[in-house]
Amino acid sequence: MGWAVLTIAGLFEVVWAVGLKQTEGFTKLWPSVITIAAMWISFGCLSYALKTIPMGNAYAVWTGIGAVGVAIVGFVWFNESADLKRIACIGLIVLGITGLKLLDSGSRVVEHAPEIL
């Protein structure tokens, strides 16, 4: 369940990252509302996923999904360059995400982390 929720968190990261461009510095109401809602959902799902997925893996996968998703949106909707070098680098991110998922041995997250402050 944690990995499915983490995937949703990553997809909403794509929504808010793309939405951030559309807000034009938070001067447009509806793009701003959608962006803030997507941020809230993304962080909420990430927080939930952290209950069962190690923090380093979860954060790397979350940002990876966001980076790859935003790059794809850039290629498709914003006509950004999709040269072979960029696509190869994005492929490496996907390979890293896949590796983290495949190598996850189902390790349990520590229930009580030490106090930081």
Side-chain angles (χ1 to χ4, degrees):
M1 182 69 167
W3 285 99
V5 173
L6 182 59
T7 301
I8 293 167
L11 294 174
F12 274 97
E13 183 187 7
V14 174
V15 172
W16 72 255
V18 173
L20 201 56
K21 180 176 177 65
Q22 303 303 311
T23 68
E24 295 183 15
F26 290 100
T27 60
K28 291 187 170 185
L29 176 64
W30 289 111
S32 297
V33 168
I34 291 167
T35 299
I36 291 168
M39 287 175 173
W40 185 80
I41 294 167
S42 181
F43 284 114
C45 289
L46 175 60
S47 176
Y48 181 84
L50 286 170
K51 292 180 179 182
T52 58
I53 300 171
M55 180 176 53
N57 289 13
Y59 185 73
V61 170
W62 179 68
T63 57
I65 291 169
V68 170
V70 170
I72 291 169
V73 169
F75 297 154
V76 174
W77 289 346
F78 297 105
N79 296 320
E80 293 179 359
S81 171
D83 62 47
L84 187 57
K85 291 176 185 175
R86 273 186 90 189
I87 292 172
C89 290
I90 290 167
L92 291 172
I93 295 170
V94 171
L95 186 63
I97 292 169
T98 304
L100 287 172
K101 169 61 176 119
L102 292 175
L103 295 174
D104 181 45
S105 62
S107 60
R108 297 288 302 158
V109 176
V110 176
E111 294 294 326
H112 301 291
E115 291 288 327
I116 294 175
L117 297 174

